[in-house]
Amino acid sequence: MKKWAEAAERFEPFNPLDLDNLGRSVEGELLERPAEPLGQVPHTFGAGVYAIYFTGAHELYTPISSEDCKVPIYVGQARPQGTRKGSEDPTKETTTLWDRIEEHKDSITAVHDLDISDFRVRYLVAIEAFVSLTERVMIRKYRPVWNRVVDGFGNHDPGADRRKSGKRPAWDELHPGRWWSHPLNMPTDSLTPADVSRDRIRALFAGELSEAEIESIESGAADEATA
């Protein structure tokens, strides 16, 4: 080997078809979209991926609050009904993405300490194969607080039977107001008290949580260990 080769730099060849790179390309297209008021998204056909941003003055979220919408508070996906079972009808037009965004609007509107006017959303209709991939890439990159350290924002009403037997989501403990999670309807407290969620949010924004700690919180293992 020539002497210069010992000191030469070596790079991993770029592969545009690498899964992460495919996800980043969809992310790039999403970020080109305008950040619209969450409460005023027009009816839209299709499924896809979206990112929600906070622009208000709530003391917990001021570190990410920005009119420029740089760091999402939540990233999500909306896939056609039946996708998991392979029974979706590709010829049928759906409003899956719009429906999901509307659910989030309703959740925020219902709670006592958040204002829907403080939230923006970017959304992108995308081929179903890339939706989950893009969501995963963005969650790993931005560490959205409502994805990673406060669970439950994306939850649906679990139904009467599960409400009675299930535990209240951490997000509803922190931001009460959704009717189905009210203690009269869902009497069992969350494993994560509101004070614990507040401490975790502050620690996340201060850079005091390692990736391993975040993964433990995200999986529920951290709360099970202290239960």
Side-chain angles (χ1 to χ4, degrees), residues 33-53:
R33 297 296 192 267
E36 301 181 21
L38 181 59
Q40 302 173 32
V41 176
H43 280 86
T44 304
F45 282 112
V49 64
Y50 57 92
I52 296 174
Y53 301 86

Side-chain angles (χ1 to χ4, degrees), residues 122-134:
R122 288 189 173 100
Y123 54 95
L124 178 70
V125 175
I127 295 172
E128 191 276 327
F130 298 106
V131 168
S132 296
L133 176 62
T134 306

Side-chain angles (χ1 to χ4, degrees), residues 54-176:
F54 182 69
T55 63
H58 193 293
E59 62 93 11
L60 279 177
Y61 306 118
T62 51
I64 59 168
S65 179
S66 169
E67 291 291 338
D68 294 332
C69 299
K70 297 294 187 182
V71 179
I73 197 169
Y74 184 81
V75 171
Q77 60 167 303
R79 296 188 294 169
Q81 187 174 7
T83 296
R84 291 182 181 179
K85 297 181 180 180
S87 60
E88 76 277 10
D89 181 356
T91 66
K92 182 180 178 181
E93 281 194 314
T94 70
T95 57
T96 309
L97 179 58
W98 183 84
D99 292 340
R100 189 66 172 138
I101 292 171
E102 282 292 291
E103 289 179 1
H104 294 319
K105 180 194 77 173
D106 292 343
S107 290
I108 291 171
T109 301
V111 305
H112 308 317
D113 63 339
L114 298 173
D115 190 326
I116 191 63
S117 66
D118 290 331
F119 291 84
R120 304 286 184 274
V121 61
R122 288 189 173 100
Y123 54 95
L124 178 70
V125 175
I127 295 172
E128 191 276 327
F130 298 106
V131 168
S132 296
L133 176 62
T134 306
E135 179 194 43
R136 185 173 71 247
V137 165
M138 292 186 70
I139 289 174
R140 188 187 310 145
K141 177 179 179 180
Y142 294 106
R143 295 180 166 185
V145 60
W146 286 354
N147 290 93
R148 306 219 59 189
V149 300
V150 183
D151 181 58
F153 172 61
N155 288 17
H156 307 273
D157 172 15
D161 290 340
R162 291 185 179 180
R163 271 187 251 127
K164 292 178 181 178
S165 60
K167 294 180 177 63
R168 200 174 307 121
W171 191 84
D172 294 88
E173 206 76 72
L174 180 63
H175 297 298

